Amino acid sequence: MSEIVIKTENLSKLYRLGVVGTGTISHDLNRWWARVRGKEDPFLKVGQENVRDQAAQSDYVWSLRDINFEVPEGEVMGIVGKNGAGKSTLLKILSRITSPTTGEIKIKGRIASLLEVGTGFHPELTGRENIYLNGAIMGMTKAEVKRKMDEIVDFSGVSAYVDTPVKRYSSGMTVRLGFAVAAHLEPEILIIDEVLAVGDAEFQKKCIGKMKDVANQGRTVLFVSHNMTAVNSLCKSCMYLKNGRIVSIGEASEIVNEYLSSENASMTEVTWSEKERPGDDVVTIHSARMIDSQYNNIDYVKMDEKFGIEYIYEVHKPGYKPNPNIHINTSKGELAFVGIEESHSGLSEVGLHKTTMWVPENLLNDGNYSVRLAVDSYNPFIVHAEAKDAMYFEVIENMNKRNHDFKRKIGGVVRPELQWESNIISYSNIVK
Amino acid sequence: MAVRSIQGAENQEWSLVIKPKTNWLSLNLKDLWRYRDLLFLFVRRDFVAVYKQTILGPAWFFIQPILTTVMYMVVFGGIAKLSTDGMPQSLFYMSGVTAWSYFADCINKTSKTFTSNAAIFGKVYFPRLIMPLSIIVSNLIKFGIQFLLFMGFLVFFLVKGSDVNPNFYIFLMPVLILMMACLGLGLGLIISSLTTKYRDLTHLVTFGVQLFMYATPVVYPLSALSDKNELIQKIVMLNPLTPIVEAFRYSFLGAGTVSPIDLVISGVTILFILIIGIIVFNRIEKNFMDTV
């Protein structure tokens, strides 16, 4: 049984919207007057729930509301939620950048946060000087940094420039150096927010490796990310926040699925305005939609019916042979399959093209998928136009049509209809 | 997850409890001590960054007081013909300028603690008080350099045989410096805390510090006020810096008006201001990110 290292009790955070100006002072005086008389802050009552796309009715918004959770020692917990769900606010409170409006958090052990790497880098100082400074800002002593200096420099991969002022660094190098320092903190609790989004692939691998190390050493990690694959593979448990409240906490894979199915609301039709059309000077994509066999728009896909992905693109220049193709990805970001146009009819003609890929029934398992549309030339290979995550759709199964009695979710990316051949080949005598 | 030892959790000793508000005077000195390395790295950063990519480098620390002294000699000594208590003008003004600019730098910079460090405060926690403290210390180094310059002038005039009399009050110097630092820090903390939400005060600071200088015997000696308006005398005497600057000057030049009682009163006032400053700063630092 492991100890609880983070425990929050009714944590809430109220934010004021709008501009601070002459008008604000009346509110402040109001609150002060209420406090003097020993009454409750009048503005704590009026805060509304944090829903970003709704017009605000009140000047105050609950960025977090009644957050209660516990994290046991050694747990790697993911925090997922849409932008504005309160993830960053929660991390900011945990890392003491701002304080809660009500409630409290109890923490056991040294806590360090990587809200953004390279905090406090001074452009005029050299890499080495900045390692000392940054390390100290993050809570290391000078002796600690000195001891780990070689490791940090090695890890960052910028050893050749370590005595050059940081202002001469590329942004990628700055980030590497910053992460290297952060990765060598040795806190009992590590808070990470979206840092994996920066740096090149090789460096990201290093970072994930470092995170795993930290986790393997039995330290606690809170990990906020929009990358569901990362959350899924790194985290044991997960918390799903929506509009400042906890929707659910549980096993990482379950929560990720729940999050994806409720937030990645399907989007089965898209039209780009003239300025936003993805593409280069050869090809641009205009619009796309998902259809059933009667060419009607659909909101979701029935597993046992075929469906089509149709898109319209324009070829602006002759001399290429732009070939449409579609990638279908699972909600975890894995590629399910790629379809490439094969009819080869008039692909190089300049003008507006419409293309449809028909996906047979009983191919994809139930779940959420995203569509990447592209138009490429293959000789030489050029990606003319690409629209990642252009559409999202959900495949839904009619359970009543199952020909067996297993009535729970069946795993896997594909759900082909398979031929079974079963016979009894010999009877045994049953002793009654 | 179900098998957590919830019962055990109640008895645990938490190393940190984050609450909406803390006690008025919880200074968290332990935390401050743990981050002492950071303080010196900030000092180093400020110091190194100032003269990087300049040709004259640290010489700029000398140029500023020299030019100011020359300007005062022309304007206040030459044109306005203010008394200098019979001291050589250059020494008189330089002693004032050296002491005054330490205080002015402290208050000017610490008063911007929150606004100019919002970016770094917004990303990582360390005891916020480290920042203003580092400003006080790095200005102390600058003061030290300028003080050496002043000593150079003093020695020159001593050798020349001018009528300057350094005396045992010199031993008070560390106390005087500490008092100036505390006053600058205290006022700076108050101002920086008050400006996180409403910026009005920032417009007043630069101007206010200048006015403050004229209420302090920097360009004139205290003795020059004896035959002047009583109100003016009162204002200048109420200023906690007045006895400090006078004592500073007296200890090196042997001319000025020093009374131990005034120094003690000024010390008490400064302590009071500093405590207020720390309380206000403490209250603000937890939430200033939301309003800055």
Side-chain angles (χ1 to χ4, degrees), chain B residues 188-232:
Chain B
L189 290 181
I190 293 173
I191 295 165
S192 77
S193 305
L194 294 181
T195 46
T196 55
K197 194 157 191 181
Y198 300 104
R199 296 286 158 78
D200 305 58
L201 216 56
T202 41
H203 300 286
L204 207 70
V205 173
T206 351
F207 173 65
V209 169
Q210 250 176 39
L211 281 187
F212 202 168
M213 187 185 94
Y214 293 108
T216 313
V218 174
V219 294
Y220 55 86
L222 193 58
S223 60
L225 291 182
S226 51
D227 53 345
K228 295 285 184 312
N229 187 323
E230 224 174 278
L231 181 71
I232 295 176

Side-chain angles (χ1 to χ4, degrees), chain B residues 163-205:
Chain B
D163 183 27
V164 283
N165 311 297
N167 49 61
F168 66 91
Y169 264 96
I170 283 181
F171 297 110
L172 256 182
M173 225 215 12
V175 180
L176 298 179
I177 293 169
L178 186 71
M179 284 165 81
M180 282 192 290
C182 289
L183 184 63
L185 180 66
L187 288 175
L189 290 181
I190 293 173
I191 295 165
S192 77
S193 305
L194 294 181
T195 46
T196 55
K197 194 157 191 181
Y198 300 104
R199 296 286 158 78
D200 305 58
L201 216 56
T202 41
H203 300 286
L204 207 70
V205 173

